[in-house]
């Protein structure tokens, strides 16, 4: 019990640091990259003169932005695109297969698998929001992106990241009720409640992220059209704006603190109660079996938050790291969970594994 109490006391302090790290990775960290790539990008603005044109009367923003590739690794872009393309293909195949298996098998229309279907759908959108454009940059040097397309990409990128965090929290709640309140599982987690959880996850993300595109659109852009990133990350775009951007900085870190601290705190508390319930079981076999149902979810949490922690440490410790390292870590943060989550659940979840093997066996016949 002392360990549990200490964990509860330390959790908010740890989470506040992690949230600040997340903000550095997703919002503030781009400032260092911007300073290092600005000079390299200035001589490229002349390639697309229409991107720098601004209407005299109706608009204060460029017609289009230019996304950078990976500064310092231009000679390796063709090779770098190969693992990116492979990972994106794996994410598409894995998540689509998960959705197909869950939809086609009525036995998998249970609470845990419905949450898993939500996670797979979110991962599909997250990876498809950025990877196709990145591959176009690497393969065809298609670096131009329309201003409004950039805002749409920004909205989908950040809002679906928030939805993913909410679904991971809902899955932790599912495991808590299944293990700690097994007799009330079917009465607590009803289809109606699951639907409401999904609607709340979407509503929260949309509510928090809807202001961003409108705030970004209000700025006057006088620092060129070159975004110091290979996708439209919020603060990478704001860095191009003139005027006071402090509200955007404050809003970004407030959202990151709210999402990470709140969601991850409840996830940790859920697993503290789960661990306590598991340790109270009499036999070792029962403990292993019960806790084994949580392995996949723990793997999904680690695949989502581990890249954030690594990037946060890099921003805090390795201050002289080349800009391409930070960009690669940001891409890794977006691509790794959608690629790995289907593998984790396909390997560790017996029902999904059996259905997947059944698909291949039918094809062989």
């Amino acid at each position: 019990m002392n360990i549990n109490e200490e964990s509860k006391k330390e959790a908010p302090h740890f989470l506040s640091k992690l949230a600040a790290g997340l903000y550095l990775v997703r919002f503030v960290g781009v400032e260092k990259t911007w300073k290092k790539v600005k000079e390299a990008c200035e001589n490229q603005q002349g390639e697309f003169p229409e991107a720098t044109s601004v209407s005299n009367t109706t608009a204060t923003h460029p017609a289009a932005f230019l996304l950078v590739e990976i500064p310092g690794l231009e000679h390796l872009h063709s090779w770098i695109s190969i693992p990116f393309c492979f990972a994106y293909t794996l994410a598409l195949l894995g998540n689509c297969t998960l959705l197909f298996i869950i939809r086609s098998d009525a036995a998998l229309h249970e609470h845990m698998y419905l949450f898993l279907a939500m996670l797979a759908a979110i991962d599909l959108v997250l990876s498809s929001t950025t990877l196709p454009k990145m591959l176009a940059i690497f393969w065809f040097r298609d670096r131009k992106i329309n201003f409004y397309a950039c805002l749409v990409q920004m909205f989908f990128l950040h809002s679906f990241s928030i939805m993913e965090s909410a679904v991971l929290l809902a899955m932790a709640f599912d495991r808590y009720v299944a293990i700690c309140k097994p007799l009330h599982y079917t009465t607590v987690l009803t289809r109606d409640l699951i639907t409401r959880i999904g609607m709340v996850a979407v509503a929260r993300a949309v509510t928090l992220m809807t202001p961003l595109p409108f705030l970004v659109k209000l700025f006057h852009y006088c620092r060129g059209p070159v975004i110091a990133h290979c996708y439209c990350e919020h603060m990478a775009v704001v860095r191009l704006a003139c005027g006071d951007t402090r509200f955007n900085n404050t809003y970004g870190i407030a959202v990151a603190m709210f999402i990470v601290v709140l969601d991850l705190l409840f996830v940790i508390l859920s697993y503290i109660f789960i661990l306590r319930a598991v340790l109270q079981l009499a036999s070792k076999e029962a403990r292993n079996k019960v806790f084994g149902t949580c392995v996949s979810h723990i793997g999904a949490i680690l695949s989502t938050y581990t890249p954030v922690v690594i990037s946060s440490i890099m921003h805090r410790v390795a201050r002289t790291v080349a800009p391409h390292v930070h960009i690669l870590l940001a891409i890794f943060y977006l691509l790794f969970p959608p690629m790995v989550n289907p593998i984790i659940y396909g390997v560790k979840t017996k029902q999904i594994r059996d259905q997947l093997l059944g698909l291949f066996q039918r094809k062989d016949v």
Side-chain angles (χ1 to χ4, degrees):
M1 292 299 294
N2 293 333
I3 295 176
N4 292 340
E5 293 176 359
E6 291 178 3
S7 300
K8 293 177 184 177
K9 292 179 181 178
E10 293 295 331
H13 183 63
F14 165 75
L15 291 171
S16 63
K17 289 185 176 180
L18 181 58
L22 174 63
Y23 178 72
L24 288 171
V25 176
R26 298 294 300 276
F27 295 95
V28 179
V30 85
E31 180 176 354
K32 298 176 183 177
T33 303
W34 164 257
K35 291 178 181 178
K36 293 181 181 180
V37 303
K38 182 179 179 181
E39 294 182 0
C41 295
E42 282 177 347
N43 58 3
Q44 299 175 351
Q45 295 180 12
E47 296 182 20
F48 300 97
E50 67 273 18
T52 61
S53 64
V54 178
S55 172
N56 293 330
T57 58
T58 60
T60 58
H61 58 76
F65 286 120
L66 296 178
L67 298 168
V68 301
E69 295 161 311
I70 301 180
L73 299 178
E74 289 82 0
H75 61 293
L76 296 176
H77 284 164
S78 297
W79 293 103
I80 292 174
S81 67
I82 295 175
F84 284 178
C85 181
F86 175 77
Y88 179 52
T89 303
L90 200 60
L92 287 179
L93 291 175
N95 287 290
C96 287
T97 302
L98 270 182
L99 289 172
F100 174 77
I101 289 175
I102 294 173
R103 184 181 183 278
S104 59
D105 188 358
L108 297 180
H109 294 177
E110 298 178 1
H111 310 109
M112 183 178 73
Y113 302 108
L114 294 177
F115 286 129
L116 179 56
M118 294 181 193
L119 185 65
I122 290 170
D123 283 341
L124 278 174
V125 176
L126 266 180
S127 56
S128 298
T129 298
T130 54
L131 262 296
K133 182 61 181 178
M134 273 192 253
L135 293 176
I137 294 172
F138 292 143
W139 290 342
F140 311 114
R141 293 186 59 81
D142 181 17
R143 297 185 291 112
K144 185 170 69 171
I145 183 170
N146 180 272
F147 178 80
Y148 293 101
C150 183
L151 297 186
V152 171
Q153 186 187 65
M154 179 196 307
F155 173 78
F156 274 85
L157 172 66
H158 293 303
S159 60
F160 275 83
S161 296
I162 293 175
M163 290 182 206
E164 183 172 48
S165 178
V167 171
L168 289 174
L169 172 59
M171 296 172 80
F173 177 68
D174 171 80
R175 292 298 85 206
Y176 163 75
V177 176
I179 294 173
C180 299
K181 310 286 183 181
L183 298 179
H184 304 284
Y185 183 69
T186 55
T187 57
V188 173
L189 275 173
T190 62
R191 289 288 184 90
D192 183 56
L193 179 61
I194 293 174
T195 302
R196 291 181 182 179
I197 290 174
M199 293 174 64
V200 169
V202 173
R204 184 183 72 158
V206 171
T207 301
L208 290 174
M209 288 297 106
T210 295
L212 283 188
F214 293 99
L215 291 171
V216 170
K217 187 178 183 296
L218 293 175
F219 285 123
H220 174 70
Y221 293 87
C222 61
R223 296 175 180 171
V226 180
I227 298 175
H229 221 303
C230 50
Y231 57 83
C232 290
E233 195 272 334
H234 172 230
M235 284 309 300
V237 177
V238 172
R239 286 292 302 171
L240 303 178
C242 303
D244 189 359
T245 61
R246 286 178 296 178
F247 180 79
N248 286 68
N249 294 336
T250 304
Y251 187 79
I253 195 168
V255 170
M257 290 284 289
F258 174 74
I259 296 302
V260 175
V261 171
L262 191 65
D263 290 0
L264 201 53
L265 174 63
F266 281 115
V267 169
I268 291 174
L269 289 176
S270 296
Y271 274 99
I272 289 174
F273 290 120
I274 288 172
L275 184 61
R276 186 176 65 177
V278 170
L279 293 178
Q280 290 176 351
L281 295 175
S283 66
K284 182 178 179 181
E285 183 180 352
R287 291 195 295 267
N288 292 337
K289 183 178 180 180
V290 171
F291 197 72
T293 62
C294 302
V295 171
S296 299
H297 181 242
I298 294 173
I301 293 174
L302 292 176
S303 72
T304 300
Y305 287 105
T306 299
V308 175
V309 174
I310 294 174
S311 297
S312 175
I313 293 172
M314 291 293 293
H315 278 288
R316 289 174 179 271
V317 178
R319 298 182 181 274
T320 59
V321 170
H324 65 262
V325 175
H326 296 298
I327 292 179
L328 287 172
L329 284 173
I331 298 172
F332 181 74
Y333 171 78
L334 289 177
L335 188 56
F336 185 68
M339 177 187 68
V340 171
N341 286 343
I343 299 175
I344 293 173
Y345 280 96
V347 172
K348 291 295 183 179
T349 308
K350 183 179 184 301
Q351 293 87 337
I352 294 177
R353 186 172 65 247
D354 292 343
Q355 288 294 321
L356 186 61
L357 292 175
L359 285 177
F360 286 109
Q361 289 174 357
R362 284 197 293 268
K363 287 182 179 181
D364 293 339
V365 174

